[in-house]
Amino acid sequence: MRIKICVIYNYAQHYRLAIFQLLNKELGCDFYFGDKMKDVRKLDYKLLPGFKKELKNVKVFSNAYWQKGAVSLFFSNYKTYLVLGEYYCLSTWVLLILTKFSSKKIYLWSHGWYGNENRLKRIIKKFFFNLSDHVFLYGNYARDLMINEGFSSEKLDVIYNSLYYSHQIEIRDQLKNTDIYSNYFHNEDPVIIFIGRLTIEKKLSQLLLAQDVLAKNHIPVNLVFVGTGTEEADLRMQAETSGNLNCWFYGPCYDERKIGELIYNATVCVSPGNVGLTAMHAMVFGTPVITHDDFTTQMPEFEAIIPGKTGGYFIKDNIGDMVSKIGEWISPAVDRESVRKLCYGVIDEKYNPAFQVSVFKKVIVKDNL
């Protein structure tokens, strides 16, 4: 059964192209996106069949915003809506309330619960999510928290997250060990990589500190930053001040073939702050991931990390424990090829568009029979 679905999203993130394309192919969707979101690159609308219109995100106060044009879509011919579940998007509240007075259905696609919500935020989020017909979540951690908050398990499904999976596995099948790092650093030391935006939330200065500690303990490592962001200048200054010659600021890169080579040939990926999509990008190309253990401040992709198999967790903000965990993963005793296969397996099983769409179809098609 093919249903015309109205998808309303905060912004057209370039890394969501694959899931949006497959949603359109399998379910039939019209897409409406907000017009801005910090420094995230926008996808090319020409690549997305079903794209209809860009909505204007209008800031109201603090994080609250209104998507101009979203509410008018309720008065169109759509019967089914898939909307990003941000409770601080005020127009989404209006859509949710309007559907309660109609036969139309609205599904939320959301992080859901983090576990650090205060009493007021818990009350607001309970009202918000209970207004929807169903909630699609990025992880089991959020689902379990919401069930503990009184939500029905039948109303919650986990879809995980994804990047451009089909393209990535084509590249992955051709990857091999290269001399990209030995040529740059002129050594054979282990390589720690971080890929993503260089922002304060990622706490990347801690990674430079950890590299210094390892060096003082006669364990030299090379450090690579793939990406750019507001913290790049400060990180460069920190590296220069400490006399760090084994740090490569590779810069932003959107070429998956180059990214694949960089990640595949690295020893371990470390994200001192929240890990997010960095975990998926690293694992799809076979590199384990280390991040902190405070799940209330993590992004849902932390669940892809299986301690001792696909990475590990260190005590949040504890440089010594981070160093210890890095030491475990750069050890010559680690069977790098076995770890690669374990990382591949996690992504291949759950963190891909095909899995996501299978869950969307199971719920939405059943509800519209």
Side-chain angles (χ1 to χ4, degrees):
M1 180 180 180
R2 192 171 177 84
I3 310 156
K4 180 58 71 173
I5 299 171
C6 177
V7 177
I8 305 174
Y9 219 78
N10 65 337
Y11 183 77
Q13 299 96 331
H14 71 94
Y15 52 80
R16 297 208 185 282
L17 177 61
I19 178 59
F20 290 149
Q21 287 176 328
L22 193 58
L23 267 173
N24 181 70
K25 179 182 178 182
E26 295 293 324
L27 283 170
C29 298
D30 287 345
F31 295 90
Y32 299 84
F33 298 105
D35 64 336
K36 55 183 176 292
M37 183 182 164
K38 296 181 181 179
D39 59 349
V40 179
R41 189 165 68 103
K42 185 186 298 185
L43 65 82
D44 182 352
Y45 291 136
K46 294 177 183 177
L47 300 176
L48 180 59
F51 167 70
K52 292 299 180 182
K53 186 178 180 181
E54 190 171 84
L55 309 175
K56 186 173 180 59
N57 289 349
V58 181
K59 183 176 180 178
V60 180
F61 61 88
S62 186
N63 289 327
Y65 69 99
W66 179 276
Q67 284 194 291
K68 189 175 181 180
V71 173
S72 64
L73 294 171
F74 176 81
F75 301 100
S76 64
N77 294 324
Y78 298 114
K79 300 295 183 183
T80 305
Y81 298 81
L82 177 59
V83 184
L84 185 71
E86 291 184 333
Y87 68 93
Y88 40 87
C89 181
L90 304 183
S91 51
T92 300
W93 280 90
V94 176
L95 284 169
L96 286 164
I97 292 168
L98 286 171
T99 58
K100 298 300 104 179
F101 300 95
S102 74
S103 61
K104 297 188 176 189
K105 294 186 180 295
I106 185 166
Y107 303 86
L108 294 180
W109 183 349
S110 176
H111 286 99
W113 236 254
Y114 286 91
N116 59 0
E117 291 82 1
N118 59 31
R119 185 170 182 272
L120 178 60
K121 190 175 286 188
R122 292 208 318 272
I123 292 171
I124 292 171
K125 292 177 86 170
K126 279 186 179 181
F127 274 117
F128 180 76
F129 290 112
N130 275 318
L131 285 169
S132 71
D133 290 284
H134 203 89
V135 183
F136 296 104
L137 299 162
Y138 288 110
N140 289 293
Y141 173 77
R143 184 175 186 271
D144 291 342
L145 288 174
M146 291 180 75
I147 291 171
N148 289 337
E149 288 287 338
F151 288 89
S152 168
S153 60
E154 295 181 359
K155 188 174 181 173
L156 310 171
D157 270 283
V158 177
I159 58 166
Y160 301 101
N161 209 343
S162 67
L163 292 169
Y164 202 173
Y165 175 74
S166 59
H167 181 50
Q168 289 172 328
I169 58 172
E170 286 179 8
I171 293 168
R172 189 176 78 187
D173 290 342
Q174 302 170 24
L175 288 174
K176 59 184 179 181
N177 290 313
T178 68
D179 54 8
I180 186 170
Y181 292 126
S182 59
N183 282 345
Y184 183 86
F185 291 110
H186 304 293
N187 64 51
E188 300 293 334
D189 296 333
V191 176
I192 300 171
I193 192 170
F194 172 83
I195 179 168
R197 284 176 286 162
L198 310 186
T199 61
I200 195 166
E201 294 83 4
K202 298 300 181 179
K203 300 184 177 182
L204 297 170
S205 63
Q206 293 184 1
L207 194 45
L208 285 164
L209 292 175
Q211 184 188 26
D212 287 343
V213 173
L214 285 163
K216 289 173 183 176
N217 288 327
H218 307 291
I219 307 173
V221 296
N222 301 312
L223 179 57
V224 181
F225 292 110
V226 182
T228 188
T230 54
E231 293 297 293
E232 182 175 353
D234 287 345
L235 291 169
R236 284 181 178 274
M237 185 176 294
Q238 182 180 347
E240 291 171 8
T241 301
S242 65
N244 187 342
L245 301 178
N246 293 326
C247 185
W248 185 5
F249 287 89
Y250 187 88
C253 182
Y254 299 104
D255 184 333
E256 287 293 328
R257 294 191 181 280
K258 292 180 180 177
I259 290 171
E261 182 185 16
L262 289 162
I263 292 174
Y264 184 90
N265 283 278
T267 312
V268 65
C269 174
V270 181
S271 182
N274 57 56
V275 68
L277 296 171
T278 295
M280 295 166 51
H281 222 158
M283 288 188 194
V284 76
F285 293 127
T287 295
V289 179
I290 298 172
T291 191
H292 73 75
D293 66 352
D294 181 2
F295 301 154
T296 66
T297 59
Q298 273 289 4
M299 301 301 281
E301 293 77 17
F302 79 84
E303 292 182 26
I305 299 171
I306 304 169
K309 295 184 178 181
T310 63
Y313 302 106
F314 62 86
I315 300 169
K316 184 181 179 182
D317 297 328
N318 188 317
I319 304 298
D321 197 43
M322 187 197 306
V323 168
S324 176
K325 293 301 188 296
I326 291 172
E328 293 173 10
W329 281 97
I330 64 175
S331 166
V334 174
D335 184 341
R336 190 70 182 84
E337 200 56 41
S338 295
V339 171
R340 279 198 181 100
K341 291 177 181 177
L342 289 170
C343 291
Y344 294 162
V346 171
I347 303 301
D348 294 348
E349 180 182 358
K350 300 174 181 177
Y351 291 85
N352 59 78
F355 179 87
Q356 291 182 289
V357 170
S358 71
V359 180
F360 281 130
K361 288 178 71 174
K362 178 188 73 173
V363 175
I364 294 175
V365 173
K366 179 182 175 183
D367 282 358
N368 285 272
L369 288 176

